Amino acid sequence: MTSSTSFKRFIFENISDEYYRSYLLLEQMPKFIWIVEYIAKDDYPNQVHSRFLFDATALKYAGIGMMISARVGDLFIHNGKSATLTNFQEPMYKNNLREAGYGMDEASSG
């Protein structure tokens, strides 16, 4: 789980496909999101194959409505639409709520 602000900063700094980048930066997102990534063993940790974004503030049984977007390879799916991306290589998202001030304090981080 992370803040959408932190994730958008990551997108701004790391995504080169203009359509994908613009959509994610302009999309209204909840304050907190779940990010699920799939990385093939041979690509770890350098390249994400798939990334799914979910609304972390949605109701417990919201179902598929919790999904904000999905990227699987060069296919990007959002709001019932899909697009083929021209440049879909991107690094793994390596952040959490600590940056936003919601994580554990330094003394307890172990």
Side-chain angles (χ1 to χ4, degrees):
M1 183 162 58
T2 191
S3 72
S4 57
T5 303
S6 177
F7 180 69
K8 285 185 177 193
R9 186 176 318 112
F10 167 82
I11 292 299
F12 181 78
E13 295 170 354
N14 292 284
I15 303 303
S16 59
D17 184 284
E18 285 301 317
Y19 178 80
Y20 183 47
R21 183 175 190 239
S22 294
Y23 175 81
L24 291 175
L25 289 175
L26 296 173
E27 176 69 6
Q28 289 185 351
M29 293 186 192
K31 183 168 180 134
F32 298 108
I33 58 175
W34 289 106
I35 300 174
V36 178
E37 296 178 328
Y38 168 76
I39 303 170
K41 182 179 177 181
D42 292 341
D43 293 329
Y44 180 81
N46 300 318
Q47 183 179 341
V48 172
H49 180 268
S50 301
R51 176 176 290 132
F52 301 88
L53 303 180
F54 296 95
D55 180 347
T57 65
L59 297 174
K60 184 176 180 179
Y61 299 106
I64 195 71
M66 293 176 59
M67 183 177 286
I68 297 168
S69 69
R71 184 188 64 77
V72 180
D74 65 350
L75 180 64
F76 178 51
I77 304 163
H78 59 88
N79 295 332
K81 301 174 188 174
S82 65
T84 301
L85 305 178
T86 56
N87 187 349
F88 55 91
Q89 293 185 343
E90 57 188 277
M92 180 172 60
Y93 181 74
K94 298 178 184 175
N95 214 332
N96 59 26
L97 294 177
R98 178 181 312 238
E99 178 182 298
Y102 299 103
M104 299 181 298
D105 61 31
E106 292 299 319
S108 64
S109 64

